[in-house]
Amino acid sequence: MSILSKRVILTGGAGFIGGNLVRHMLRAGYHVLNLDKLTYAGNLNSLADCKGHPNYSFRQVDICDVEALASAFQDFRPSAVMHLAAESHVDRSIDSPDTFIRTNVLGTYQLLHQARLYWSSLPEDQKSCFRFLHVSTDEVYGSLGGEGLFSEESRYDPHSPYSASKASSDHLVRAWSSTYHLPVLITNCSNNYGPYQFPEKLVPLVILRATRGETIPVYGQGLNVRDWLHVSDHCFALQTVLEHGECGETYNIGGNNELKNIEVVQTLCDILDRTYPAKNGESYKSLIRFVQDRPGHDLRYAIDSSKIRTKLGWQPEWSLSSGFQQTVEWYLSNKSWWESILNGNYRLDRLGVGGK
Ligand code: NAD
Ligand code: TDX
């Protein structure tokens, strides 16, 4: 990809991974048009430092809005799309699956359709360089037992409305590759953590509830396992796949950092005990409570990321201990960012306990 063609439409850029990726791609010399609907999870405060950057622009766009998408493609003339816009929280998908189907399935369809119309109109040299990178999740593969890893060949077996909607979107992207030869790439990544994550997710939820002296809810017995990756390592992986991935291929991304949820919570409490000791002198672990399990809770996710490591040379830079430490410190020093969220509708409450 030549420097002149580094023009990316990035959807969902006001979210957690999207915001980190906007910053990452600007640093890598790209022009970025961020298309985001600004749902509860979209937050332009996360991009305050990008405002005014000569290579950055933003449009408040719903990816289901055909006209808005069409004019974004025509006006910006991208050389690539990085598609992250989605409803992303499993617990919310249990309460209200409809928005997940709308955005993740229908929205991805509309984006693919508009991308294809635009791509078809390009001259041959630009057409062959164009890429549509679809950012997806390891949750499409379902749940592992005690052994084994998800590879790119693993069977799809999604269990939550969220993962089923992401699986559907992956299938649509593959269909656009097979049927229309749209040059697509798909990534399936494990659990991300790091700065700017909306506090409904486990890591920020634990940090914020603990420092506010509130109980820390651990679903079931806390024995479910997730594979954790720092968001900046995910961003590097996405740039790597965009620039060097083979069209039509899928790349799994993971950190080889498997932890039981209870271990995640205890590790975060240990870091907080050292970094921000509780005023009553007790360990934050005294706030841990085992609560009703998530319905359909997948037991274990673990990623075999050898394909992206061996074929594209990517590897994560953050260790779990340094990444968790940095994340705790970020939330402690960016109180105004999360306070403005908690002054809205979301107050760190339990979500997804059975559907409405
Ligand atoms: P997030 O919820 O923090 O952000 C999602 C963003 O998408 C928000 O800015 C929101 O406003 C925007 N959005 C939602 N609906 C939209 C619509 N209809 N039109 C335009 N914008 C819309 O999510 P995240 O954690 O940053 O995840 C980003 C992507 O990465 C998602 O596709 C998710 O499935 C995938 N992913 C996330 C993780 C993770 O651990 N967070 C892991 C693997 C894959
Ligand atoms: O309060 C909690 N207590 C708890 O025990 C919360 C919010 C979660 N959990 C458990 C459920 C999961 O096993 O912690 C684990 C992590 O939960 P989440 O942070 O909600 O993430 P998860 O459901 O694993 O999904 C995440 O990783 C894959 C992202 O939200 C998805 O967008 C991504 O695709």
Side-chain angles (χ1 to χ4, degrees):
M1 219 180 276
S2 80
I3 189 82
L4 286 175
S5 65
K6 289 172 110 178
R7 297 180 67 78
V8 176
I9 283 187
L10 200 157
T11 71
F16 163 48
I17 301 171
N20 279 283
L21 187 62
V22 165
R23 214 169 277 111
H24 177 94
M25 298 305 283
L26 288 173
R27 276 199 301 269
Y30 283 77
H31 292 249
V32 177
L33 171 59
N34 173 10
L35 300 185
D36 197 296
K37 182 182 178 181
L38 299 182
T39 67
Y40 80 93
N43 186 350
L44 291 180
N45 292 336
S46 306
L47 293 163
D49 54 331
C50 298
K51 211 175 155 191
H53 190 295
N55 296 347
Y56 173 69
S57 50
F58 169 73
R59 285 191 194 186
Q60 185 167 3
V61 165
D62 182 337
I63 56 165
C64 299
D65 182 339
V66 178
E67 280 81 34
L69 286 179
S71 62
F73 276 99
Q74 283 315 317
D75 298 346
F76 186 70
R77 308 205 62 76
S79 56
V81 173
M82 297 176 102
H83 175 36
L84 292 92
E87 290 292 335
S88 71
H89 192 40
V90 174
D91 288 334
R92 287 183 195 259
S93 82
I94 296 166
D95 290 334
S96 314
D98 47 348
T99 51
F100 287 72
I101 306 305
R102 184 182 177 278
T103 288
N104 300 0
V105 184
L106 297 177
T108 299
Y109 156 67
Q110 297 295 7
L111 187 66
L112 277 167
H113 185 58
Q114 292 307 318
R116 178 186 149 226
L117 292 180
Y118 165 76
W119 169 74
S120 312
S121 73
L122 292 174
E124 278 313 313
D125 56 331
Q126 290 177 34
K127 216 171 160 182
S128 60
C129 294
F130 184 83
R131 296 289 181 273
F132 184 105
L133 169 54
H134 176 61
V135 178
S136 192
T137 170
D138 58 359
E139 300 198 16
V140 298
Y141 300 123
S143 185
L144 292 163
E147 299 293 313
L149 301 170
F150 295 133
S151 79
E152 287 80 0
E153 276 71 49
S154 294
R155 191 169 71 91
Y156 271 40
D157 183 23
H159 295 147
S160 70
Y162 164 69
S163 54
S165 69
K166 290 297 290 189
S168 309
S169 65
D170 294 9
H171 291 316
L172 287 172
V173 174
R174 286 202 182 90
W176 258 244
S177 166
S178 312
T179 308
Y180 306 111
H181 309 294
L182 185 71
V184 308
L185 298 151
I186 297 178
T187 56
N188 295 88
C189 187
S190 61
N191 285 57
N192 283 215
Y193 68 90
Y196 299 106
Q197 187 167 32
F198 193 87
E200 66 196 352
K201 306 285 170 31
L202 180 67
V203 169
L205 183 111
V206 169
I207 299 168
L208 299 195
R209 285 192 65 102
T211 51
R212 291 151 59 97
E214 296 168 8
T215 56
I216 302 170
V218 175
Y219 299 171
Q221 296 304 304
L223 301 178
N224 303 63
V225 174
R226 299 290 182 264
D227 172 4
W228 295 91
L229 183 73
H230 193 284
V231 64
S232 72
D233 284 325
H234 189 189
C235 292
F236 263 112
L238 295 176
Q239 184 196 351
T240 303
V241 171
L242 182 73
E243 293 177 351
H244 305 293
E246 200 177 315
C247 281
E249 291 289 311
T250 294
Y251 296 89
N252 281 355
I253 306 169
N256 285 350
N257 284 318
E258 278 186 62
L259 281 187
K260 296 187 181 82
N261 291 337
I262 187 64
E263 295 171 327
V264 170
V265 173
Q266 287 169 339
T267 304
L268 293 169
C269 288
D270 285 337
I271 295 172
L272 282 168
D273 285 342
R274 287 196 305 271
T275 315
Y276 188 75
K279 294 199 174 59
N280 65 8
E282 282 188 31
S283 167
Y284 289 103
K285 287 180 190 154
S286 64
L287 296 170
I288 295 174
R289 300 288 183 275
F290 294 97
V291 300
Q292 184 187 338
D293 209 351
R294 170 185 281 175
H297 198 176
D298 286 335
L299 177 65
R300 177 170 165 259
Y301 304 142
I303 280 276
D304 173 359
S305 55
S306 50
K307 181 174 173 184
I308 184 173
R309 288 173 194 249
T310 55
K311 295 211 163 149
L312 306 185
W314 170 85
Q315 57 177 28
E317 288 179 355
W318 286 89
S319 70
L320 204 55
S321 58
S322 59
F324 274 5
Q325 178 75 40
Q326 181 249 17
T327 303
V328 167
E329 287 170 10
W330 188 86
Y331 280 91
L332 292 175
S333 12
N334 286 276
K335 214 171 162 198
S336 62
W337 182 84
W338 53 261
E339 269 182 348
S340 73
I341 292 173
L342 299 186
N343 287 334
N345 289 331
Y346 177 68
R347 306 281 165 86
L348 301 170
D349 296 325
R350 177 75 199 265
L351 302 168
V353 265
K356 285 178 193 150

